Amino acid sequence: MGIVNRQRNDHILVVVGVLLCLCTACAENLPFTDNEIEEMQADILSDPQMEEDVQSTDNEIEETQEDILPDSQAEDGARNHSSIERMQRDSSVSLDFYTEDQSTKIGEDTLLWTRKCIYPVVRIEENESAANKINTDIQERVDSFHKDSFVPDCADEDYHRICDASDSDDIHFYGYFDEMIFTVTRADSKVVSFLVTTQYYIGGAHGMDYYTGLNYDTQTGELLRFDDLAGNAGAFRQDTLAFIHNLASATAYQSIMWENDIDELQEVLYQDERWYLSTSGLVLFSNPYELGAFFAGNIEFTIPYSDLEEMGVHEQYEYTGTRTILLQTEAVCFMDLNGDGQEEEIQFYIDAKGSANTDVHFLVDGTDYAAEHETLSRQFSDDDYIFCWTACFLYDMDPTDTTTEIAFQMNYSSWTDDIVVPYTFLYRYEGSGALYYLGRIEGTITDPTAVYYISPQDSNANEK
């Protein structure tokens, strides 16, 4: 997802705060008088803009990303002539994303508040009626967001109050903001799903954010309810809740949750629009402060499609595309990564998740490559990447070969701008302890609209 970082305070605390999105400078906040306000026109892009670089043209190959590794990384098993390319997934569903910006100034220099909305327009081949229903629902949500005057009113009131109370001309106002950002999590002939992040800042140490899951039936255009997913809705709820309760007992979850009470999990997670379908499975989530402290953010629980099928999910909502298999924290996964007919034992977990003592582990057959592999170890200690919230996926980039790639997904922050950018680092395990770094891509391997593949490799690459 796009997470917004407002200011780097204490280095360690900001790494924690950014995870939630919105760490901003502690400041009192200030309003204004109406005749001082200069309204800036909303800037609506004339061309589609997708948050995860999605293009709307079918089968269009996008430009190569990070095709040659920097010199500093052309070592330690890195394949320094590998090229990772991205294609538009061939699908009956396509999306165009649009950005709308608005801001208000006081005088020449003081920015009072800003508003941003990134939203999709859905197109479905030979089913304009369903697409219209989906787009109408999305547009109603966008219109409601733009009509909400809470943040502008707070900015007006606080700025006016502080200016009236101060005798100094040297008053620094940290502008308020609100944002609504749609991120696509699944898009195919059965379902199109979004995670909607709504966030705002109205003074204090940090902003607040709220998450909404939207899932639409691609055939009908109707908004799906959780009970629509399976024939026996009651049994499906109980099975998914039991899975989540067991998952939440892992140390990584317990380090960010207040407790693991099954009744509380049910009360929080099974509210309306607290779930979405992804390329990995069914994701249920909480909002900040519901299951853990603010730094824990929206705590997510993923139930893989293989388990959902056993729980009785309707065939019409099963996922048949290339799955991104999420390595659940601390769980052991068995998979043949290199096509030699033998399954490797794979485990991924994070100690002290979200803290200054975070330690990331990635094990294959007992070897912890997060410690033993120089390039991977360096990436997991790079302060510019929010490595304490790394997600690890298995993803088959080329169905014609016998290997399955390993993807580590992290957010990058330069600490000098307002945007945290997701990156994915790709590796290939080829047996006998050889782990090759293939390179990185800007964006997420979980993007349901994209297909990634690797061009021919340098046969003289070094091994680690």
Side-chain angles (χ1 to χ4, degrees):
M1 308 172 285
I3 298 180
V4 178
N5 171 34
R6 292 295 161 189
Q7 178 177 351
R8 188 177 191 179
N9 297 325
D10 175 88
H11 175 71
I12 294 173
L13 293 180
V14 169
V15 168
V16 172
V18 162
L19 308 172
L20 281 306
C21 346
L22 324 177
C23 258
T24 8
C26 283
E28 285 247 33
N29 280 303
L30 335 161
F32 57 83
T33 59
D34 290 340
N35 59 4
E36 292 176 311
I37 299 177
E38 296 179 1
E39 292 286 348
M40 298 180 67
Q41 297 291 331
D43 178 19
I44 302 177
L45 297 184
S46 58
D47 294 323
Q49 181 179 38
M50 184 163 188
E51 183 184 21
E52 294 185 20
D53 303 321
V54 176
Q55 302 295 319
S56 61
T57 306
D58 291 337
N59 299 319
E60 178 182 355
I61 299 179
E62 299 189 347
E63 57 186 57
T64 302
Q65 305 189 45
E66 302 291 340
D67 57 346
I68 299 180
L69 299 177
D71 292 339
S72 62
Q73 294 182 347
E75 55 178 291
D76 193 34
R79 294 210 165 173
N80 53 8
H81 293 287
S82 62
S83 175
I84 302 171
E85 297 188 1
R86 180 176 185 269
M87 291 180 62
Q88 179 71 22
R89 184 180 297 279
D90 187 11
S91 174
S92 60
V93 177
S94 59
L95 302 99
D96 295 329
F97 277 75
Y98 293 85
T99 297
E100 296 177 355
D101 292 299
Q102 186 178 1
S103 61
T104 299
K105 277 187 175 181
I106 303 172
E108 295 294 330
D109 302 321
T110 302
L111 185 64
L112 189 68
W113 67 276
T114 60
R115 171 169 288 169
K116 174 183 284 188
C117 183
I118 300 177
Y119 67 95
V121 173
V122 178
R123 292 181 290 140
I124 305 173
E125 289 182 6
E126 300 180 358
N127 198 342
E128 186 177 351
S129 174
N132 287 340
K133 285 184 180 180
I134 296 172
N135 291 327
T136 297
D137 185 71
I138 291 172
Q139 190 61 54
E140 287 176 354
R141 296 170 187 270
V142 171
D143 291 343
S144 178
F145 169 72
H146 282 305
K147 290 176 182 177
D148 191 337
S149 64
F150 174 68
V151 172
D153 288 347
C154 285
D156 184 11
E157 179 181 350
D158 291 348
Y159 181 81
H160 191 67
R161 172 177 56 82
I162 291 176
C163 285
D164 287 349
S166 175
D167 296 329
S168 172
D169 293 331
D170 188 21
I171 298 175
H172 299 285
F173 176 74
Y174 295 90
Y176 291 175
F177 71 85
D178 57 355
E179 299 179 344
M180 184 181 198
I181 299 173
F182 285 72
T183 301
V184 60
T185 61
R186 177 173 164 178
D188 52 54
S189 61
K190 299 179 179 181
V191 173
V192 58
S193 295
F194 302 95
L195 178 64
V196 185
T197 304
T198 305
Q199 46 199 24
Y200 65 90
Y201 174 68
I202 54 171
H206 58 73
M208 283 298 297
D209 42 345
Y210 184 85
Y211 299 86
T212 302
L214 299 178
N215 305 271
Y216 301 94
D217 186 309
T218 308
Q219 297 300 313
T220 66
E222 297 293 336
L223 189 66
L224 291 173
R225 300 173 301 121
F226 187 84
D227 288 347
D228 294 332
L229 294 179
N232 188 334
F236 188 69
R237 279 177 175 256
Q238 292 306 309
D239 288 345
T240 54
L241 179 59
F243 185 98
I244 290 171
H245 187 235
N246 180 65
L247 190 63
S249 65
T251 302
Y253 276 105
Q254 290 304 295
S255 67
I256 60 174
M257 293 173 58
W258 287 316
E259 56 183 319
N260 184 21
D261 181 79
I262 193 167
D263 292 331
E264 184 177 20
L265 287 171
Q266 182 171 10
E267 180 181 353
V268 170
L269 300 177
Y270 288 82
Q271 300 177 49
D272 291 340
E273 299 181 347
R274 289 298 185 87
W275 61 279
Y276 62 87
L277 292 168
S278 72
T279 57
S280 298
L282 168 65
V283 182
L284 291 90
F285 59 88
S286 70
N287 275 301
Y289 290 120
E290 292 183 331
L291 294 178
F294 178 76
F295 88 92
N298 62 323
I299 301 174
E300 295 190 337
F301 303 90
T302 300
I303 306 174
Y305 284 107
S306 56
D307 293 276
L308 292 175
E309 291 165 9
E310 295 178 3
M311 296 176 187
V313 70
H314 281 309
E315 183 178 356
Q316 69 194 84
Y317 302 127
E318 293 177 359
Y319 184 65
T320 56
T322 302
R323 297 182 185 179
T324 47
I325 300 173
L326 173 66
L327 292 186
Q328 304 278 18
T329 180
E330 300 172 38
V332 177
C333 173
F334 294 91
M335 177 174 285
D336 182 1
L337 293 174
N338 59 351
D340 65 356
Q342 301 294 319
E343 289 186 336
E344 280 72 42
E345 181 181 293
I346 312 160
Q347 190 178 27
F348 173 81
Y349 63 96
I350 303 176
D351 289 332
K353 189 173 185 179
S355 78
N357 299 316
T358 293
D359 196 8
V360 185
H361 303 271
F362 176 70
L363 289 79
V364 179
D365 289 341
T367 299
D368 189 350
Y369 288 92
E372 300 295 331
H373 193 280
E374 183 179 345
T375 301
L376 187 58
S377 177
R378 183 168 59 244
Q379 289 162 353
F380 284 152
S381 59
D382 188 337
D383 290 337
D384 285 333
Y385 289 94
I386 309 173
F387 56 85
C388 56
W389 292 85
T390 304
C392 182
F393 298 88
L394 303 181
Y395 179 82
D396 187 2
M397 299 183 73
D398 185 358
T400 65
D401 66 20
T402 58
T403 61
T404 298
E405 282 67 39
I406 304 154
F408 299 97
Q409 202 161 285
M410 292 186 279
N411 287 324
Y412 172 84
S413 174
S414 66
W415 307 110
T416 59
D417 53 32
D418 289 341
I419 303 298
V420 174
V421 181
Y423 276 91
T424 302
F425 298 83
L426 288 154
Y427 286 79
R428 176 176 288 165
Y429 180 79
E430 297 191 357
S432 303
L435 183 68
Y436 293 104
Y437 177 39
L438 301 173
R440 71 172 187 175
I441 56 173
E442 181 177 337
T444 63
I445 204 73
T446 53
D447 180 356
T449 67
V451 178
Y452 297 95
Y453 71 96
I454 304 172
S455 67
Q457 313 268 311
D458 178 7
S459 60
N460 296 320
N462 297 320
E463 292 189 7
K464 168 66 180 178

